[in-house]
Amino acid sequence: MEYFLQQLINGLTLGAIYGLIAIGYTMVYGIIRMINFAHGEIYMLGAFISLIAFLVSTLLGGTSVAFGLLAALVSTMVLTALYGWAVERVAYRPLRNAPKLAPLISAIGMSIVLQNFSQLTQGARVKPLPPLFKGGIELMHGETFSVNLSYLQMTIMALTVALMVVFTWVITRTSLGRAQRATEQDMKMAALLGVNTDRIISATFVMGATLASVAGLMVTLYYGVIDFYIGFLAGIKAFTAAVLGGIGSLPGAMLGGLLIGLIEAFWSGYFSIEYKDVAAFSILVLVLLFRPTGLLGRPEVEKI
Amino acid sequence: MSTLPLLDVEHVTMRFGGLFAVNDLSFTAQPKAITAVIGPNGAGKTTLFNCITGFYKPQIGRMTLNHADGPVLLERLDDYDIAAKARVARTFQNIRLFARMSVLENLIVAQHHKLMRASAFSLAGLLGLSRYSKAEKLAVDKARHWLDRVGLLDLADEDAGSLPYGSQRRLEIARAMCTDPVLLCLDEPAAGLNPKESLELNSLLTGIRDEMGIGLLLIEHDMSVVMEISDWVVVLDYGSKIAEGAPALIKDDPAVIHAYLGEPDESEA
């Protein structure tokens, strides 16, 4: 029981991170019907930028963890958002009216470019970050095993919930969110009503990148090691999460992320840690075979 | 300045391969008037609308929209500027509402351009500044005004896609009006309406013309509607203009009758 509870906490933490990345996939898919395969790399850049931000704030003599975290959070979000914007501007916008395969290939190219960019500029070695958060609370004390919820896990979950609230509010209540939903449903019509759809698409990439950057920051803190290649696996897993939840559905992306995180945690806890990726990707295959619309997705109705 | 037409279409040609969908077409539309564009199927009416609203860029010709503060060349604008700068709005033959948004939201999206300015691209909205909430309130007021006009105020919070067909048509017109157009292009607004709805539509359109003082451009197959409400009729056939004039004159124009009904049979002649 104690062991189960611990894996549940670990799985939810991991799931929160996957969910934040998955939202970027699902939003971009919703609006331009394209899988942004460079999104995992955006998350990786977020992790690197946050690492640099932590080191810089320590160098400048910042001793307060809260201040360091806030500074890193803000700078990571802003800088990664710029990367997200630039990727769309350079690699996808020129191909807006091209056949569907072209932007997909461009996305894979962009992903390789960004990986190599950080390998060249930051080096190929694994980068460590000493743990900033120590301690936690002991929820339950068993005979052989005690259940811990670390302060870092709490921070990750609280930050995810806060971001989801802000994000949901932007989508449902603001003018920008309304225009995004309109563009998603009928881009040409939205343009005819005076919505600058190119700008809305840019905003979508910026929002997706911002959420992914926070996921990158969390991973840097949580695992304490990052390298230039982490975007690949995390990206594919978040993509799996988006498909599981129903690609195009925002609550679906978060739900899918949590499920993938839980499956991975329980699989590693009870079966085999080496095969945890197999579990996640088997889910992708099963969902695509038996429920291609995902858990919360809408079936695509072909207009005749 | 008052002699300038609202819309001046000059020598517009839109070609798809070897097909001239619109061929050297010139006509004008006046403000405070309903100009009907009629013609048999395939005459190029919808293609003309697609040119005016930026879907297509005509290969030849010029389309000038004369605002109070100067002319705007439609063929040079990006699609979103057709609504935002030129202030031309349009409805579609096959209704294109945002089906999964509420009726009210459909009308507020139409005011996006103004709202984005007021909200400094949503930053002010995020920070909850009063400037934004004021602009948002104005937008909602305008939306409710038009919902009231088309008799859909009770359904403001329904999904637009769940409305019956006739209501969707009226909602699309209300949405177009929320963009504050100076020219409203309606592509077969009476199609699929029953006689009662069709009469209501007539009074809605003439009401918009008389109260808002804007120009309306109307594609319509229902001749009773055309004869009843339009002030000027342009007749197209095979992409070219074959006649134009007041509705009463057009009805008896031999070229028009020929285009619609074909050559009279030799034996009957």
Side-chain angles (χ1 to χ4, degrees):
Chain A
M1 182 59 204
E2 288 85 6
Y3 190 56
F4 175 84
L5 206 62
Q6 185 65 59
Q7 285 308 76
L8 185 71
I9 292 170
N10 295 347
L12 285 176
T13 314
L14 194 58
I17 294 172
Y18 287 147
L20 285 177
I21 311 174
I23 286 173
Y25 278 106
T26 224
M27 273 178 91
V28 165
Y29 180 82
I31 212 156
I32 54 173
R33 296 283 179 274
M34 175 207 134
I35 307 293
N36 176 15
F37 278 115
H39 190 57
E41 267 54 57
I42 293 290
Y43 148 85
M44 178 270 295
L45 289 170
F48 268 95
I49 293 169
S50 69
L51 179 70
I52 294 168
F54 279 124
L55 295 178
V56 167
S57 79
T58 319
L59 273 181
L60 295 178
T63 45
S64 144
V65 173
F67 175 78
L69 184 66
L70 194 68
L73 191 63
V74 171
S75 50
T76 305
M77 285 166 86
V78 170
L79 290 173
T80 315
L82 276 177
Y83 274 106
W85 178 83
V87 165
E88 192 272 335
R89 196 71 189 76
V90 171
Y92 307 144
R93 192 181 291 183
L95 298 172
R96 185 84 76 234
N97 298 314
K100 277 191 167 182
L101 210 52
L104 209 63
I105 294 166
S106 176
I108 294 169
M110 204 66 218
S111 156
I112 297 169
V113 166
L114 291 175
Q115 264 180 31
N116 285 283
F117 164 69
S118 39
Q119 186 184 5
L120 281 173
T121 52
Q122 301 299 320
R125 262 186 294 172
V126 170
K127 304 277 176 298
L129 181 75
L132 294 178
F133 284 75
K134 291 195 185 77
I137 40 176
E138 197 172 279
L139 291 180
M140 201 188 280
H141 192 77
E143 283 167 25
T144 53
F145 194 84
S146 56
V147 182
N148 285 300
L149 177 63
S150 71
Y151 293 131
L152 180 58
Q153 285 175 322
M154 282 195 263
T155 311
I156 289 177
M157 287 181 202
L159 201 53
T160 306
V161 171
L163 280 174
M164 289 315 295
V165 169
V166 171
F167 179 76
T168 309
W169 182 76
V170 168
I171 294 289
T172 53
R173 293 270 179 272
T174 68
S175 189
L176 174 67
R178 259 192 308 266
Q180 279 179 316
R181 283 179 288 143
T183 308
E184 184 194 326
Q185 291 185 33
D186 189 339
M187 193 183 297
K188 203 70 201 179
M189 190 66 231
L192 272 184
L193 292 170
V195 176
N196 186 340
T197 46
D198 274 342
R199 194 176 279 157
I200 296 298
I201 292 167
S202 285
T204 306
F205 275 84
V206 164
M207 284 165 76
T210 309
L211 294 179
S213 76
V214 178
L217 176 135
M218 288 169 172
V219 156
T220 309
L221 287 172
Y222 195 51
Y223 291 121
V225 283
I226 56 169
D227 62 54
F228 71 97
Y229 202 60
I230 58 167
F232 177 72
L233 205 56
I236 301 233
K237 277 195 193 143
F239 171 64
T240 307
V243 172
L244 174 62
I247 195 134
S249 153
L250 296 174
M254 205 60 225
L255 177 70
L258 287 177
L259 285 175
I260 292 286
L262 287 172
I263 288 165
E264 218 180 286
F266 284 120
W267 185 280
S268 351
Y270 289 103
F271 299 105
S272 138
I273 200 159
E274 286 83 15
Y275 283 99
K276 68 181 163 79
D277 297 342
V278 174
F281 295 132
S282 306
I283 299 287
L284 178 62
V285 173
L286 291 175
V287 171
L288 287 175
L289 278 178
F290 295 109
R291 201 179 157 83
T293 54
L295 296 172
L296 303 180
R298 248 173 331 96
E300 192 108 352
V301 183
E302 264 327 300
K303 269 182 210 152
I304 301 166
Chain B
M1 287 297 274
S2 62
T3 54
L4 279 177
L6 176 63
L7 173 71
D8 195 354
V9 174
E10 294 165 278
H11 306 289
V12 164
T13 298
M14 183 72 214
R15 212 175 53 217
F16 298 104
L19 176 79
F20 286 79
V22 175
N23 190 7
D24 194 22
L25 175 67
S26 303
F27 73 95
T28 60
Q30 302 299 326
K32 295 182 196 132
I34 298 179
T35 307
V37 179
I38 65 169
N41 283 329
K45 305 181 296 286
T46 300
T47 305
L48 169 68
F49 266 34
N50 284 341
C51 290
I52 292 173
T53 52
F55 271 68
Y56 302 148
K57 301 277 177 223
Q59 282 97 354
I60 305 172
R62 187 162 78 161
M63 299 171 295
T64 317
L65 194 77
N66 290 302
H67 280 276
D69 52 358
V72 179
L73 290 176
L74 290 178
E75 70 275 11
R76 298 205 183 156
L77 292 178
D78 283 326
D79 46 8
Y80 56 88
D81 273 340
I82 298 275
K85 282 217 184 80
R87 290 162 63 198
V88 174
R90 165 173 191 187
T91 68
F92 286 84
Q93 195 175 342
N94 49 338
I95 302 168
R96 286 175 77 166
L97 290 167
F98 302 118
R100 282 173 277 118
M101 289 169 85
S102 79
V103 166
L104 190 67
E105 277 185 320
N106 263 277
L107 301 193
I108 297 177
V109 165
Q111 303 173 60
H112 174 81
H113 175 68
K114 259 185 303 175
L115 271 176
M116 281 306 253
R117 287 222 163 152
S119 70
F121 304 103
S122 273
L123 283 177
L126 286 174
L127 303 172
L129 296 186
S130 66
R131 194 163 70 128
Y132 177 70
S133 49
K134 204 166 145 194
E136 178 116 324
K137 191 181 172 303
L138 284 177
V140 173
D141 284 348
K142 183 192 274 288
R144 297 187 80 86
H145 165 78
W146 280 105
L147 282 182
D148 196 26
R149 271 303 292 274
V150 299
L152 294 173
L153 198 50
D154 299 339
L155 303 171
D157 295 322
E158 301 288 318
D159 268 2
S162 69
L163 297 187
Y165 190 78
S167 308
Q168 291 198 11
R169 281 227 172 273
R170 277 177 291 146
L171 178 58
E172 214 189 13
I173 293 172
R175 183 178 65 179
M177 288 310 296
C178 278
T179 63
D180 280 330
V182 295
L183 178 70
L184 174 60
C185 302
L186 302 150
D187 196 344
E188 297 203 32
L193 298 187
N194 64 37
K196 181 173 160 285
E197 288 173 327
S198 188
L199 280 178
E200 286 168 1
L201 178 76
N202 286 358
S203 64
L204 174 65
L205 296 185
T206 49
I208 288 173
R209 172 192 63 191
D210 299 337
E211 288 158 39
M212 309 302 294
I214 67 171
L216 284 82
L217 202 58
L218 175 75
I219 293 180
E220 191 49 74
H221 276 300
D222 186 336
M223 281 306 137
S224 65
V225 174
V226 172
M227 294 303 151
E228 179 76 24
I229 65 170
S230 53
D231 303 290
W232 193 255
V233 180
V234 176
V235 190
L236 302 187
D237 194 19
Y238 294 111
S240 305
K241 182 171 76 180
I242 56 171
E244 71 176 315
L249 294 174
I250 285 296
K251 204 161 52 173
D252 302 321
D253 190 303
V256 177
I257 295 171
H258 176 244
Y260 268 91
L261 302 176
E263 202 77 50
D265 215 328
E266 287 297 325
S267 56
E268 283 175 39

